Amino acid sequence: MRFSSLFAVLFFVLFFVSLAAAVAQEGPGAKPLTAMPDVLTVPPEAQPSDHFDVEAATNAYMAEIPPAARARSDAYFEGGYWLILWDFLVAAIIYWALLRFGWSARMRDLTERLTRFRALQTFLYWVQFVLLTFVLGFPLTYYEGFVREHKYGLATQMFGPWMGDQLKLLLVSIVLGGIVVVTLVAIVRRLPNTWHIWGAVVSTVLLILFVMIAPVFLFPLFNKFKPLDDPKVTQPILSMARANGIAVGKVYVSDASQQSTRMSANVSGLGKTMRITLNDNLLKRANLEEIEEAMGHEMGHYVLNHVYKDMLFAFIVIVAGFGLLRWSLNWFVGRRGKEWGLRDATDIAAVPLVFLLGSIFFFVLTPILNTQTRTAELEADMYGLNASRQPDGSAQSAIHLGEYRKMSPGPVEEWIFYDHPSGRERIYNAMRWKAENLELFKKPAGK
Ligand SMILES: [Zn+2]
């Protein structure tokens, strides 16, 4: 949703690919403007005692954040709310323009002059569509992905490498998107009455395939991955992995500091390719307690089978989406098809209309999709606390992640916009866990 025109272009591809991972966020090293403090000592209110108070401990952690850092991070995150709207509007205007001014019909005519093979016509149309929407949407992509990220000190990439990544994304969307579009168009033409059912089934199968290959073939296009071998963390992390029944060969480190300062970790892949990745920003900037809690959280995603549950949820969304698409596509083609130069609903020139309807669908679904993700993230938080027993690491982690997420939203705001529990809620949950496990933190008598 934060990709403006790419959102357009990568509509299918990125939606598919990003569902693959529980979202791969990247980033490294220099002190960013939004930098949150490294809380080295546990505040007095959060120390174990007979009068430990969850609310007071939470507030003490919140008070560690300098007001300026908090104001900047609030501004960054709230700006993101508006970008969801602008991304949607800009994409919708681009698709509408392609239809209204007959550009889409002309792109189709061109492919028919170039070849008589229908699958090739579809692919050549797709290439033009991707390139044109990339160019038209580029100003917003550039502002959102480059200018704004630098303004808030979250990006580390110069323009050249950033543009290189954009071109790689473009190529990926041409190739993978091409596979999806050629397959779906063939289904629509061959099964005119049931394509919404078969389209949903085939899309889900392709999604599963893309999720499976993503960590092996896609992510390495943008970052380098190596097995975790940092002596500082190897022993406790791999020990925790073994204790939770996770094969130790499945923990990787990415060089996300090439792109940004964000600290993060994720679970990606499916079946044999499934793995836990932490990024080098987390390794460099976090203390061991925080890294352990972050890895406990990711192990939670892994052990609780969140990737498989996400797939099932995606299948439901895709089925609903195809049903609505079939109905609305016929309705629009019936009313406006002639004016836009569309022959019927199976015409490849209707692709911008499919994307327009799709972007409305996903825009409206924003709170539902976020709530599904946020619910799983809360489960992973709880698993992480139990596996790592690091509530203070969890509080520190919530503060660090507050560099790009507002710490303390209102309930409606959280419901609509948050794909993770808010920072304040995470600290509160960690302190509640600590309050119920105080004996783990009390120093032995006589010391
Ligand atoms: Zn998570």
Side-chain angles (χ1 to χ4, degrees), residues 22 297-298 301 377 380 420 426:
H297 171 101
E298 298 308 325
H301 283 310
E377 292 299 333
H420 285 69
R426 290 179 125 169

Side-chain angles (χ1 to χ4, degrees), residues 17 20-21 24 213-225 266 268-269:
V17 172
I213 65 162
V216 183
F217 295 109
L218 291 181
F219 302 157
L221 295 174
F222 302 93
N223 287 98
K224 289 195 178 70
F225 295 84
N266 68 63
S268 62

Side-chain angles (χ1 to χ4, degrees), residues 212-358:
M212 206 179 274
I213 65 162
V216 183
F217 295 109
L218 291 181
F219 302 157
L221 295 174
F222 302 93
N223 287 98
K224 289 195 178 70
F225 295 84
K226 56 183 175 57
L228 175 68
D229 62 356
D230 186 323
K232 183 179 109 185
V233 297
T234 311
Q235 199 277 330
I237 297 300
L238 297 185
S239 159
M240 190 160 59
R242 284 190 296 270
N244 287 275
I246 297 166
V248 293
K250 299 245 177 200
V251 184
Y252 288 76
V253 182
S254 76
D255 65 343
S257 56
Q258 297 293 330
Q259 286 101 350
S260 90
T261 62
R262 292 164 192 242
M263 297 162 72
S264 99
N266 68 63
V267 174
S268 62
L270 203 74
K272 283 216 156 125
T273 67
M274 201 186 271
R275 67 201 53 198
I276 292 172
T277 307
L278 66 162
N279 77 20
D280 55 354
N281 291 321
L282 183 67
L283 267 189
K284 281 179 208 160
R285 292 183 51 208
N287 58 33
L288 188 56
E289 290 83 354
E290 183 178 353
I291 295 173
E292 284 186 38
E293 189 279 334
M295 294 320 285
H297 171 101
E298 298 308 325
M299 288 174 194
H301 283 310
Y302 187 97
V303 172
L304 299 170
N305 289 316
H306 283 163
V307 174
Y308 298 105
K309 290 173 188 166
D310 288 350
M311 292 291 115
L312 187 64
F313 180 75
F315 178 64
I316 294 166
V317 171
I318 288 171
V319 167
F322 268 90
L324 280 170
L325 178 65
R326 184 178 175 197
W327 172 78
S328 54
L329 192 62
N330 287 335
W331 191 86
F332 271 101
V333 170
R335 297 208 136 199
R336 291 291 168 91
K338 262 213 179 94
E339 187 188 323
W340 293 339
L342 308 178
R343 293 164 190 156
D344 55 40
T346 71
D347 188 348
I348 181 71
V351 162
L353 179 56
V354 172
F355 274 73
L356 177 60
L357 296 168

